[in-house]
Amino acid sequence: MNNLETITTHFCLTGQVESIQPLGNGLINDTYRITTTGDNPDYVLQRINHHIFQNVELLQSNIEAVTAHIRQKLTDAGETDIERKVLKFIPTPEGKTYWYDGESYWRVSVFIPNAKTYETVNPEFSYYAGKAFGNFQAMLADIETPLGETIPDFHNMEFRLQQLREAVAANASGRLSEVQDLVDELEKRAQVMCQAEQLYREGKLPKRICHCDTKVNNMMFDEDGNVLCVIDLDTVMPSFIFSDFGDFLRTAANTGDEDDKDLSRVGFNMDIFKAFTKGYLESAKSFLLPIEIELLPYAVALFPYMQTVRFLADYINGDTYYKTQYPEHNKVRSYAQFTLLKSVEEHTKAMQDYIWSI
Ligand code: GN1
Ligand code: MG
């Protein structure tokens, strides 16, 4: 029995494990698919990155509360196919949803059958995705269990800028001079980009339970393009609704890749924006405040901005946070995200006009 197989014996799985293969391309956790024999479900095995998610107990209790709440909502609504619409975590014999092997934390969930994730989506799928994320926030609007911040200040722009400034001051990797131009560009926009924190302090902007990692590949679709469910729930926590709106468009409305070396491929796709916004507002307008709707174009700029700040800080720190495939990877990511930001900025007026028109 190999290492990974041994780990699976600490969870109450049904069926015999046939094989365990790497799955997906997340930048934080390590993910595997467990294939089992016969009619038994397959599973997803994950090593939780506990350097990043330092409080695994809190992390898992958030996820348990969220999935139980959504499951109840779906049941109450008479929903069919619940097993494909909300994640299910497998307990250990002690009744915990994670297991610590002395070095790493592991968890197992049921693999959702006949479902797909995508790295890019067309406008039709974006519309469904918008409805699904609006619905996800709506379903969690009345959750009673208080959720903790699994990564404190995760989408706090002031905090992310402070991290960048600390990275710049320390220049641990000696790489600062290569990227000084980009640091300057980011500083020029700092105050505008921190407006959400300012409005929050003034009591004008609320926090709600959000997903906080709405990359397009964190959503499962069925064969017909219907959204089944949202996955990757590690970062579900109180945040501004901008997190979910902005991060989806950062990934889905980019005409290039997140880490594109060819910057001419990178740009903001208004058709994806329109379709997603239409779907999102249909399911979220019941609870959104006017100020939240008004600031949606800001949210679209905020996420490429924040991601540039985060990738760049990691590059200057010498690649201590994100998985990288080559030495310049975080730098390439930073310039690609910044290029996206500039394209978003050119579309501010068009985004505002569209939001008023619907
Ligand atoms: C990380 O784990 P993954 O790849 O879905 C990151 C997100 C970033 C994203 C950039 C916990 O998400 O915040 O936006 O990479 N997650 C964490 O691709 O930092
Ligand atoms: Mg992911």
Side-chain angles (χ1 to χ4, degrees):
M1 202 182 268
N2 70 27
N3 234 348
L4 292 174
E5 276 173 38
T6 313
I7 286 151
T8 64
T9 63
H10 295 278
F11 292 88
C12 305
L13 307 185
T14 53
Q16 287 290 317
V17 174
E18 208 168 58
S19 68
I20 304 181
Q21 304 293 337
L23 178 70
N25 49 8
L27 302 186
I28 306 294
N29 298 319
D30 298 323
T31 309
Y32 305 87
R33 175 172 178 176
I34 307 173
T35 310
T36 62
T37 52
D39 285 343
N40 298 294
D42 285 355
Y43 297 94
V44 175
L45 170 68
Q46 269 191 321
R47 183 211 308 264
I48 302 168
N49 186 330
H50 68 275
H51 303 289
I52 291 178
F53 297 104
Q54 296 185 357
N55 188 344
V56 175
E57 181 68 38
L58 169 80
L59 173 74
Q60 286 305 109
S61 79
N62 266 7
I63 292 182
E64 285 167 33
V66 165
T67 51
H69 189 81
I70 294 179
R71 186 171 289 270
Q72 189 60 51
K73 284 262 150 118
L74 295 173
T75 311
D76 294 348
E79 192 62 68
T80 54
D81 205 9
I82 290 183
E83 295 313 318
R84 290 207 297 165
K85 293 194 172 158
V86 59
L87 292 180
K88 185 180 195 168
F89 286 84
I90 303 299
T92 64
E94 300 77 39
K96 292 219 173 278
T97 58
Y98 64 89
W99 182 68
Y100 182 56
D101 68 5
E103 220 171 84
S104 301
Y105 290 85
W106 299 88
R107 69 180 165 208
V108 172
S109 58
V110 176
F111 180 84
I112 301 184
N114 306 319
K116 286 190 184 147
T117 58
Y118 295 94
E119 296 297 325
T120 54
V121 281
N122 61 21
E124 189 192 348
F125 278 30
S126 292
Y127 168 75
Y128 296 136
K131 281 192 88 144
F133 278 124
N135 202 23
F136 181 83
Q137 291 177 342
M139 281 195 288
L140 292 174
D142 62 349
I143 188 167
E144 275 165 17
T145 326
L147 300 187
E149 293 198 359
T150 54
I151 300 179
D153 291 315
F154 188 51
H155 280 171
N156 178 337
M157 196 58 245
E158 290 173 348
F159 172 71
R160 295 301 183 184
L161 270 168
Q162 183 193 322
Q163 286 185 316
L164 175 65
R165 287 168 186 154
E166 283 165 10
V168 166
N171 192 13
S173 63
R175 289 165 160 176
L176 177 61
S177 60
E178 293 169 38
V179 292
Q180 186 64 54
D181 61 324
L182 190 48
V183 174
D184 297 344
E185 287 291 338
L186 293 171
E187 284 294 351
K188 275 190 219 162
R189 294 160 170 87
Q191 203 184 345
V192 177
M193 288 297 162
C194 292
Q195 62 177 294
E197 275 74 34
Q198 185 59 37
L199 290 166
Y200 179 68
R201 275 194 291 274
E202 292 166 9
K204 293 180 183 152
L205 187 68
K207 287 193 183 180
R208 306 178 188 278
I209 302 301
C210 298
H211 182 278
C212 294
D213 191 14
T214 53
K215 287 172 37 166
V216 55
N217 63 13
N218 279 336
M219 185 165 264
M220 313 255 357
F221 292 86
D222 74 6
E223 303 81 349
D224 306 319
N226 300 308
V227 175
L228 288 166
C229 68
V230 172
I231 57 172
D232 213 345
L233 304 176
D234 297 328
T235 52
V236 176
M237 63 176 116
S239 189
F240 306 121
I241 56 102
F242 307 151
S243 291
D244 293 356
F245 190 79
D247 220 17
F248 181 87
L249 289 168
R250 179 182 73 81
T251 50
N254 184 352
T255 53
D257 297 326
E258 180 179 74
D259 57 353
D260 223 309
K261 287 183 179 155
D262 179 357
L263 297 180
S264 69
R265 293 185 66 236
V266 176
F268 185 62
N269 180 334
M270 272 303 281
D271 292 334
I272 299 286
F273 166 83
K274 287 181 182 169
F276 181 74
T277 303
K278 185 166 188 297
Y280 178 73
L281 286 178
E282 276 174 23
S283 53
K285 76 170 175 266
S286 60
F287 64 86
L288 291 179
L289 299 177
I291 191 167
E292 293 176 297
I293 298 177
E294 208 175 289
L295 287 175
L296 290 177
Y298 155 72
V300 183
L302 178 61
F303 279 82
Y305 179 81
M306 190 184 303
Q307 204 59 65
T308 311
V309 168
R310 293 177 64 194
F311 283 145
L312 190 63
D314 200 32
Y315 184 67
I316 299 171
N317 284 333
D319 309 323
T320 58
Y321 188 91
Y322 291 107
K323 291 184 199 167
T324 52
Q325 277 145 25
Y326 52 92
E328 307 266 280
H329 204 165
N330 273 319
K331 180 171 153 184
V332 168
R333 286 168 172 155
S334 304
Y335 281 95
Q337 290 295 296
F338 184 66
T339 304
L340 177 63
L341 170 65
K342 285 191 293 184
S343 177
V344 167
E345 287 171 345
E346 284 161 16
H347 290 90
T348 308
K349 173 84 171 52
M351 288 192 281
Q352 283 162 347
D353 290 348
Y354 181 74
I355 290 168
W356 290 121
S357 77
I358 53 175

